[in-house]
Amino acid sequence: MFPIRHFLEVCRFVNETLDYKASDYEARDTLIDLYECVLYADRKPENIQVRNSKPVTLVVVDFSIGEGRKEKDRIQDSINNTNFKENSIDVDIGVAWMLFENKILKYKVKYDIDSKKWYFEEIRKITPFSKYILEKNDYDENIGVKNDTSYFI
């Protein structure tokens, strides 16, 4: 019998025995699905739910509050002055792709653990569970994303 209660032995077994590699995306994706299965499961197996798609977070940032001579400095300053919890909305990844293709989403935000600061970079592709900047000029609290041709938001 394998002593699963001993964390170090489990780690050694996994690292030395199993030949399995997973990207951060695959690991997060699997953990979210597992969490939802446990969360929604009860005595009826049909209550187990797995999402067809994955969410992304859009952070509404007001670029006009940023300071600096260069556009990238103003954007960075705006990010630093934005409360992410109050100014974020979660949407389906398909919505984010459509906004990206319509050139409404241009930047992705990431957190640097070492400096403990948010930074931004241009979007190359849309990935689930990531945060993207939605400029305040493109968003209205009453109607959602302005100039959005989709019916999602």
Side-chain angles (χ1 to χ4, degrees):
M1 186 167 100
F2 188 75
I4 197 159
R5 285 183 269 169
H6 302 298
F7 181 74
L8 293 176
E9 289 183 40
V10 172
C11 288
R12 190 175 312 110
F13 171 77
V14 169
N15 291 333
E16 295 174 4
T17 309
L18 299 179
D19 186 27
Y20 176 76
K21 303 283 184 219
S23 69
D24 286 345
Y25 164 73
E26 290 169 330
R28 275 186 287 181
D29 188 43
T30 302
L31 286 173
I32 292 290
D33 287 343
L34 179 61
Y35 170 76
E36 286 188 346
C37 285
V38 172
L39 181 66
Y40 296 115
D42 58 15
R43 294 176 189 245
K44 297 181 181 179
E46 56 267 13
N47 287 341
I48 296 175
Q49 299 176 10
V50 179
R51 283 177 279 153
N52 291 330
S53 189
K54 305 298 178 221
V56 300
T57 301
L58 303 181
V59 181
V60 180
V61 177
D62 186 356
F63 289 177
S64 68
I65 64 171
E67 296 182 10
R69 293 171 68 187
K70 297 178 182 176
E71 180 183 31
K72 97 179 201 186
D73 293 334
R74 288 191 305 275
I75 294 170
Q76 185 62 53
D77 191 51
S78 298
I79 291 169
N80 293 338
N81 290 309
T82 298
N83 182 330
F84 281 33
K85 288 184 181 179
E86 290 180 13
N87 296 299
S88 296
I89 54 174
D90 290 329
V91 299
D92 182 81
I93 191 169
V95 173
W97 265 110
M98 192 170 298
L99 295 174
F100 173 62
E101 289 174 348
N102 291 332
K103 311 231 184 291
I104 294 172
L105 291 183
K106 300 173 189 163
Y107 304 107
K108 178 179 190 171
V109 285
K110 291 185 169 184
Y111 188 74
D112 181 35
I113 296 172
D114 295 330
S115 68
K116 298 181 180 173
K117 292 185 179 181
W118 290 95
Y119 69 95
F120 75 99
E121 61 186 30
E122 287 190 20
I123 299 173
R124 290 188 174 83
K125 64 180 180 174
I126 302 291
T127 56
F129 313 109
S130 296
K131 293 184 186 324
Y132 298 94
I133 297 175
L134 178 61
E135 190 174 354
K136 187 175 182 197
N137 290 339
D138 293 324
Y139 182 75
D140 182 298
E141 290 179 6
N142 298 315
I143 63 170
V145 178
K146 297 176 185 176
N147 302 319
D148 179 22
T149 58
S150 72
Y151 58 89
F152 293 106
I153 296 181

PDB file of all heavy atoms in Angstrom, residues 31-44 47-51:
ATOM      1  N   LEU A  31      -7.573  21.264 -13.135  1.00  0.00           N
ATOM      2  CA  LEU A  31      -7.955  21.563 -11.757  1.00  0.00           C
ATOM      3  C   LEU A  31      -9.310  22.260 -11.680  1.00  0.00           C
ATOM      4  O   LEU A  31     -10.114  21.964 -10.791  1.00  0.00           O
ATOM      5  CB  LEU A  31      -6.887  22.409 -11.076  1.00  0.00           C
ATOM      6  CG  LEU A  31      -5.611  21.660 -10.707  1.00  0.00           C
ATOM      7  CD1 LEU A  31      -4.555  22.633 -10.194  1.00  0.00           C
ATOM      8  CD2 LEU A  31      -5.887  20.584  -9.687  1.00  0.00           C
ATOM      9  N   ILE A  32      -9.582  23.173 -12.607  1.00  0.00           N
ATOM     10  CA  ILE A  32     -10.889  23.856 -12.625  1.00  0.00           C
ATOM     11  C   ILE A  32     -11.996  22.842 -12.895  1.00  0.00           C
ATOM     12  O   ILE A  32     -13.042  22.855 -12.233  1.00  0.00           O
ATOM     13  CB  ILE A  32     -10.914  24.980 -13.674  1.00  0.00           C
ATOM     14  CG1 ILE A  32      -9.991  26.124 -13.265  1.00  0.00           C
ATOM     15  CG2 ILE A  32     -12.324  25.497 -13.894  1.00  0.00           C
ATOM     16  CD1 ILE A  32     -10.452  26.927 -12.084  1.00  0.00           C
ATOM     17  N   ASP A  33     -11.785  21.961 -13.865  1.00  0.00           N
ATOM     18  CA  ASP A  33     -12.792  20.941 -14.160  1.00  0.00           C
ATOM     19  C   ASP A  33     -13.019  20.021 -12.962  1.00  0.00           C
ATOM     20  O   ASP A  33     -14.159  19.691 -12.627  1.00  0.00           O
ATOM     21  CB  ASP A  33     -12.389  20.114 -15.381  1.00  0.00           C
ATOM     22  CG  ASP A  33     -12.528  20.879 -16.681  1.00  0.00           C
ATOM     23  OD1 ASP A  33     -13.226  21.915 -16.680  1.00  0.00           O
ATOM     24  OD2 ASP A  33     -11.944  20.458 -17.689  1.00  0.00           O
ATOM     25  N   LEU A  34     -11.940  19.612 -12.322  1.00  0.00           N
ATOM     26  CA  LEU A  34     -12.059  18.753 -11.146  1.00  0.00           C
ATOM     27  C   LEU A  34     -12.805  19.471 -10.023  1.00  0.00           C
ATOM     28  O   LEU A  34     -13.690  18.912  -9.384  1.00  0.00           O
ATOM     29  CB  LEU A  34     -10.677  18.314 -10.668  1.00  0.00           C
ATOM     30  CG  LEU A  34     -10.639  17.422  -9.433  1.00  0.00           C
ATOM     31  CD1 LEU A  34     -11.386  16.119  -9.684  1.00  0.00           C
ATOM     32  CD2 LEU A  34      -9.195  17.150  -9.037  1.00  0.00           C
ATOM     33  N   TYR A  35     -12.457  20.736  -9.796  1.00  0.00           N
ATOM     34  CA  TYR A  35     -13.135  21.527  -8.768  1.00  0.00           C
ATOM     35  C   TYR A  35     -14.633  21.599  -9.040  1.00  0.00           C
ATOM     36  O   TYR A  35     -15.449  21.417  -8.141  1.00  0.00           O
ATOM     37  CB  TYR A  35     -12.522  22.928  -8.718  1.00  0.00           C
ATOM     38  CG  TYR A  35     -13.306  23.898  -7.867  1.00  0.00           C
ATOM     39  CD1 TYR A  35     -13.254  23.840  -6.476  1.00  0.00           C
ATOM     40  CD2 TYR A  35     -14.102  24.867  -8.460  1.00  0.00           C
ATOM     41  CE1 TYR A  35     -13.972  24.723  -5.696  1.00  0.00           C
ATOM     42  CE2 TYR A  35     -14.826  25.745  -7.679  1.00  0.00           C
ATOM     43  CZ  TYR A  35     -14.756  25.678  -6.306  1.00  0.00           C
ATOM     44  OH  TYR A  35     -15.464  26.552  -5.543  1.00  0.00           O
ATOM     45  N   GLU A  36     -15.002  21.869 -10.290  1.00  0.00           N
ATOM     46  CA  GLU A  36     -16.420  21.978 -10.617  1.00  0.00           C
ATOM     47  C   GLU A  36     -17.138  20.639 -10.478  1.00  0.00           C
ATOM     48  O   GLU A  36     -18.294  20.597 -10.064  1.00  0.00           O
ATOM     49  CB  GLU A  36     -16.604  22.547 -12.015  1.00  0.00           C
ATOM     50  CG  GLU A  36     -16.294  24.030 -12.042  1.00  0.00           C
ATOM     51  CD  GLU A  36     -16.639  24.672 -13.356  1.00  0.00           C
ATOM     52  OE1 GLU A  36     -16.869  23.966 -14.346  1.00  0.00           O
ATOM     53  OE2 GLU A  36     -16.679  25.906 -13.385  1.00  0.00           O
ATOM     54  N   CYS A  37     -16.464  19.556 -10.818  1.00  0.00           N
ATOM     55  CA  CYS A  37     -17.089  18.238 -10.632  1.00  0.00           C
ATOM     56  C   CYS A  37     -17.396  17.993  -9.166  1.00  0.00           C
ATOM     57  O   CYS A  37     -18.475  17.512  -8.812  1.00  0.00           O
ATOM     58  CB  CYS A  37     -16.177  17.138 -11.169  1.00  0.00           C
ATOM     59  SG  CYS A  37     -16.136  17.026 -12.955  1.00  0.00           S
ATOM     60  N   VAL A  38     -16.458  18.322  -8.304  1.00  0.00           N
ATOM     61  CA  VAL A  38     -16.666  18.127  -6.875  1.00  0.00           C
ATOM     62  C   VAL A  38     -17.716  19.098  -6.346  1.00  0.00           C
ATOM     63  O   VAL A  38     -18.586  18.741  -5.562  1.00  0.00           O
ATOM     64  CB  VAL A  38     -15.335  18.298  -6.109  1.00  0.00           C
ATOM     65  CG1 VAL A  38     -15.564  18.302  -4.609  1.00  0.00           C
ATOM     66  CG2 VAL A  38     -14.356  17.206  -6.503  1.00  0.00           C
ATOM     67  N   LEU A  39     -17.667  20.331  -6.803  1.00  0.00           N
ATOM     68  CA  LEU A  39     -18.579  21.358  -6.321  1.00  0.00           C
ATOM     69  C   LEU A  39     -20.034  21.047  -6.665  1.00  0.00           C
ATOM     70  O   LEU A  39     -20.921  21.199  -5.836  1.00  0.00           O
ATOM     71  CB  LEU A  39     -18.186  22.713  -6.912  1.00  0.00           C
ATOM     72  CG  LEU A  39     -19.031  23.916  -6.501  1.00  0.00           C
ATOM     73  CD1 LEU A  39     -18.848  24.199  -5.016  1.00  0.00           C
ATOM     74  CD2 LEU A  39     -18.621  25.125  -7.312  1.00  0.00           C
ATOM     75  N   TYR A  40     -20.276  20.603  -7.890  1.00  0.00           N
ATOM     76  CA  TYR A  40     -21.645  20.414  -8.350  1.00  0.00           C
ATOM     77  C   TYR A  40     -22.148  18.971  -8.226  1.00  0.00           C
ATOM     78  O   TYR A  40     -23.292  18.691  -8.527  1.00  0.00           O
ATOM     79  CB  TYR A  40     -21.784  20.879  -9.796  1.00  0.00           C
ATOM     80  CG  TYR A  40     -21.534  22.357  -9.946  1.00  0.00           C
ATOM     81  CD1 TYR A  40     -20.454  22.825 -10.678  1.00  0.00           C
ATOM     82  CD2 TYR A  40     -22.373  23.281  -9.334  1.00  0.00           C
ATOM     83  CE1 TYR A  40     -20.232  24.174 -10.806  1.00  0.00           C
ATOM     84  CE2 TYR A  40     -22.141  24.635  -9.458  1.00  0.00           C
ATOM     85  CZ  TYR A  40     -21.073  25.079 -10.197  1.00  0.00           C
ATOM     86  OH  TYR A  40     -20.850  26.408 -10.317  1.00  0.00           O
ATOM     87  N   ALA A  41     -21.285  18.074  -7.824  1.00  0.00           N
ATOM     88  CA  ALA A  41     -21.700  16.675  -7.757  1.00  0.00           C
ATOM     89  C   ALA A  41     -22.464  16.404  -6.462  1.00  0.00           C
ATOM     90  O   ALA A  41     -22.167  16.953  -5.422  1.00  0.00           O
ATOM     91  CB  ALA A  41     -20.477  15.764  -7.828  1.00  0.00           C
ATOM     92  N   ASP A  42     -23.470  15.551  -6.560  1.00  0.00           N
ATOM     93  CA  ASP A  42     -24.139  15.028  -5.375  1.00  0.00           C
ATOM     94  C   ASP A  42     -24.473  13.575  -5.668  1.00  0.00           C
ATOM     95  O   ASP A  42     -23.731  12.906  -6.375  1.00  0.00           O
ATOM     96  CB  ASP A  42     -25.352  15.879  -4.972  1.00  0.00           C
ATOM     97  CG  ASP A  42     -26.387  16.001  -6.076  1.00  0.00           C
ATOM     98  OD1 ASP A  42     -26.329  15.226  -7.050  1.00  0.00           O
ATOM     99  OD2 ASP A  42     -27.253  16.871  -5.951  1.00  0.00           O
ATOM    100  N   ARG A  43     -25.563  13.093  -5.233  1.00  0.00           N
ATOM    101  CA  ARG A  43     -25.883  11.679  -5.447  1.00  0.00           C
ATOM    102  C   ARG A  43     -26.238  11.349  -6.893  1.00  0.00           C
ATOM    103  O   ARG A  43     -26.263  10.197  -7.269  1.00  0.00           O
ATOM    104  CB  ARG A  43     -27.018  11.277  -4.528  1.00  0.00           C
ATOM    105  CG  ARG A  43     -26.621  11.325  -3.084  1.00  0.00           C
ATOM    106  CD  ARG A  43     -27.791  11.027  -2.195  1.00  0.00           C
ATOM    107  NE  ARG A  43     -27.415  11.286  -0.819  1.00  0.00           N
ATOM    108  CZ  ARG A  43     -27.343  10.365   0.112  1.00  0.00           C
ATOM    109  NH1 ARG A  43     -27.640   9.126  -0.178  1.00  0.00           N
ATOM    110  NH2 ARG A  43     -26.979  10.668   1.328  1.00  0.00           N
ATOM    111  N   LYS A  44     -26.559  12.366  -7.686  1.00  0.00           N
ATOM    112  CA  LYS A  44     -26.932  12.119  -9.078  1.00  0.00           C
ATOM    113  C   LYS A  44     -25.760  12.456 -10.000  1.00  0.00           C
ATOM    114  O   LYS A  44     -25.324  13.594 -10.059  1.00  0.00           O
ATOM    115  CB  LYS A  44     -28.139  12.980  -9.460  1.00  0.00           C
ATOM    116  CG  LYS A  44     -29.380  12.652  -8.674  1.00  0.00           C
ATOM    117  CD  LYS A  44     -30.522  13.523  -9.134  1.00  0.00           C
ATOM    118  CE  LYS A  44     -31.782  13.239  -8.337  1.00  0.00           C
ATOM    119  NZ  LYS A  44     -32.876  14.116  -8.778  1.00  0.00           N
ATOM    120  N   ASN A  47     -25.630  15.595 -12.313  1.00  0.00           N
ATOM    121  CA  ASN A  47     -25.395  16.931 -11.786  1.00  0.00           C
ATOM    122  C   ASN A  47     -23.933  17.356 -11.900  1.00  0.00           C
ATOM    123  O   ASN A  47     -23.598  18.487 -11.574  1.00  0.00           O
ATOM    124  CB  ASN A  47     -25.832  17.023 -10.325  1.00  0.00           C
ATOM    125  CG  ASN A  47     -27.334  17.039 -10.194  1.00  0.00           C
ATOM    126  OD1 ASN A  47     -28.047  17.339 -11.155  1.00  0.00           O
ATOM    127  ND2 ASN A  47     -27.823  16.714  -9.012  1.00  0.00           N
ATOM    128  N   ILE A  48     -23.072  16.468 -12.326  1.00  0.00           N
ATOM    129  CA  ILE A  48     -21.674  16.840 -12.535  1.00  0.00           C
ATOM    130  C   ILE A  48     -21.610  17.679 -13.807  1.00  0.00           C
ATOM    131  O   ILE A  48     -22.066  17.263 -14.865  1.00  0.00           O
ATOM    132  CB  ILE A  48     -20.770  15.603 -12.650  1.00  0.00           C
ATOM    133  CG1 ILE A  48     -20.785  14.841 -11.332  1.00  0.00           C
ATOM    134  CG2 ILE A  48     -19.358  15.998 -13.029  1.00  0.00           C
ATOM    135  CD1 ILE A  48     -20.024  13.543 -11.365  1.00  0.00           C
ATOM    136  N   GLN A  49     -21.039  18.865 -13.661  1.00  0.00           N
ATOM    137  CA  GLN A  49     -21.005  19.791 -14.792  1.00  0.00           C
ATOM    138  C   GLN A  49     -19.564  20.159 -15.117  1.00  0.00           C
ATOM    139  O   GLN A  49     -18.779  20.426 -14.230  1.00  0.00           O
ATOM    140  CB  GLN A  49     -21.789  21.059 -14.467  1.00  0.00           C
ATOM    141  CG  GLN A  49     -23.230  20.794 -14.173  1.00  0.00           C
ATOM    142  CD  GLN A  49     -23.957  22.046 -13.760  1.00  0.00           C
ATOM    143  OE1 GLN A  49     -23.444  23.146 -13.866  1.00  0.00           O
ATOM    144  NE2 GLN A  49     -25.171  21.874 -13.291  1.00  0.00           N
ATOM    145  N   VAL A  50     -19.268  20.196 -16.377  1.00  0.00           N
ATOM    146  CA  VAL A  50     -17.985  20.676 -16.855  1.00  0.00           C
ATOM    147  C   VAL A  50     -18.286  21.713 -17.922  1.00  0.00           C
ATOM    148  O   VAL A  50     -19.089  21.484 -18.817  1.00  0.00           O
ATOM    149  CB  VAL A  50     -17.132  19.520 -17.435  1.00  0.00           C
ATOM    150  CG1 VAL A  50     -15.810  20.050 -17.959  1.00  0.00           C
ATOM    151  CG2 VAL A  50     -16.895  18.461 -16.387  1.00  0.00           C
ATOM    152  N   ARG A  51     -17.654  22.859 -17.792  1.00  0.00           N
ATOM    153  CA  ARG A  51     -17.898  23.937 -18.750  1.00  0.00           C
ATOM    154  C   ARG A  51     -17.413  23.558 -20.146  1.00  0.00           C
ATOM    155  O   ARG A  51     -16.414  22.889 -20.305  1.00  0.00           O
ATOM    156  CB  ARG A  51     -17.157  25.205 -18.323  1.00  0.00           C
ATOM    157  CG  ARG A  51     -17.844  25.918 -17.211  1.00  0.00           C
ATOM    158  CD  ARG A  51     -17.035  27.102 -16.811  1.00  0.00           C
ATOM    159  NE  ARG A  51     -15.991  26.588 -15.938  1.00  0.00           N
ATOM    160  CZ  ARG A  51     -14.815  27.153 -15.774  1.00  0.00           C
ATOM    161  NH1 ARG A  51     -14.506  28.231 -16.388  1.00  0.00           N
ATOM    162  NH2 ARG A  51     -13.925  26.629 -14.984  1.00  0.00           N
TER     163      ARG A  51
END
